[in-house]
Amino acid sequence: MSVIESLRGGLIVSVQAYPGEPMRHPETMAQIALAAERGGAVAIRCQGLADISAIKGQVEIPVIGLWKEGHEGVYITPTLRHARACIMAGADVVAIDATRRARPDGLSYADTVKALKEEGALVMADCGSIDDARMAVEAGSDIISTTLAGYSGEREKTAGPDFELLDQMVTEFPQVPVLCEGRVHSPTQAAEVMAAGAYAVVVGTAITHPTTITSWFADAIK
Ligand SMILES: CC(=O)N[C@H](C=O)[C@@H](O)[C@H](O)[C@H](O)COP(=O)(O)O
């Protein structure tokens, strides 16, 4: 079965810790990824070359790798160099910023995807709007996703997943795998995005970010 086919209908778990956080260590991330695999994840999404390699060493399921540089503007795998490095580190799919903003290396999104495809890589397009998705499909991305909805200035940051953008994407691109990622906070919401036509759902915070999960409970009993 192809990597993309193996994601169909499944749960992808995003395993990331942010700079300065207590769990930001490749071995810790790899342990969480393995736990997620045992729980039924069909793939892991993770950040940074050390985490990608450590996680590849632990799990059998595919790894979607990205490399975050900074946290403003184009920061998810911002350049072709970052994308190539993710593949070299072992990622089965590389996730890259697929907004229409200028990229730090001056390449267009289409040029970046073209180079990666020529090298045999699979590309996940992290989109923030339907216009981004159009550009990403035109460029030949293997997967498109709602990852940047609410973070790139084109969509409101909904409390839960951006169902409206998901609907636009699956309606306009029925032939392209559309992932729903971002603020999927419960099993019910995960089921809802699948019912809405997502090819697969990506859950990060609600499974792998204990500080945030703890704050949900702490706030609820204040
Ligand atoms: C916008 C951005 O930088 N998103 C990042 C992308 O890799 C991660 O910080 C998110 O945790 C991930 O998308 C999963 O989303 P959520 O944690 O909401 O389930």
Side-chain angles (χ1 to χ4, degrees):
M1 202 194 313
S2 73
V3 169
I4 304 282
E5 191 57 36
S6 73
L7 308 179
R8 186 193 291 274
L11 169 68
I12 299 164
V13 176
S14 176
V15 180
Q16 299 183 38
Y18 303 101
E21 291 191 331
M23 299 203 316
R24 192 164 161 106
H25 190 286
E27 194 179 336
T28 308
M29 294 292 101
Q31 288 164 336
I32 293 171
L34 181 57
E37 179 178 44
R38 291 193 181 164
V42 299
I44 300 296
R45 178 175 158 115
C46 61
Q47 188 289 133
L49 304 182
D51 287 12
I52 293 169
S53 295
I55 289 170
K56 275 303 285 184
Q58 284 288 337
V59 304
E60 301 289 339
I61 53 180
V63 167
I64 301 171
L66 57 123
W67 180 357
K68 283 184 183 169
E69 187 86 64
H71 54 270
E72 273 172 18
V74 177
Y75 63 86
I76 297 183
T77 324
T79 70
L80 179 57
R81 175 175 62 82
H82 288 84
R84 284 181 170 142
C86 290
I87 297 292
M88 293 287 287
D92 299 282
V93 177
V94 61
I96 66 180
D97 180 295
T99 63
R100 302 174 331 285
R101 299 172 291 191
R103 312 175 78 79
D105 59 3
L107 292 181
S108 67
Y109 178 80
D111 289 339
T112 306
V113 172
K114 186 166 181 284
L116 291 168
K117 297 301 300 171
E118 279 169 8
E119 292 160 21
L122 293 171
V123 178
M124 171 172 175
D126 286 344
C127 303
S129 68
I130 190 66
D131 287 331
D132 290 347
R134 289 177 183 136
M135 175 194 73
V137 171
E138 175 73 27
S141 313
D142 298 282
I143 298 168
I144 57 175
S145 173
T146 62
T147 312
L148 287 169
Y151 303 104
S152 66
E154 289 200 282
R155 305 275 314 162
E156 270 203 18
K157 190 173 175 186
T158 48
D162 190 335
F163 284 103
E164 189 181 68
L165 178 60
L166 173 65
D167 185 57
Q168 290 173 348
M169 285 166 67
V170 299
T171 303
E172 197 164 322
F173 303 110
Q175 77 289 7
V176 180
V178 177
L179 305 196
C180 186
E181 171 169 354
R183 305 180 301 281
V184 179
H185 285 165
S186 68
T188 303
Q189 283 177 341
E192 283 169 357
V193 307
M194 295 310 294
Y199 187 85
V201 58
V202 184
V203 178
T205 305
I207 296 177
T208 64
H209 201 257
T211 303
T212 302
I213 301 164
T214 304
S215 75
W216 292 341
F217 283 86
D219 289 349
I221 61 170
K222 265 181 193 153

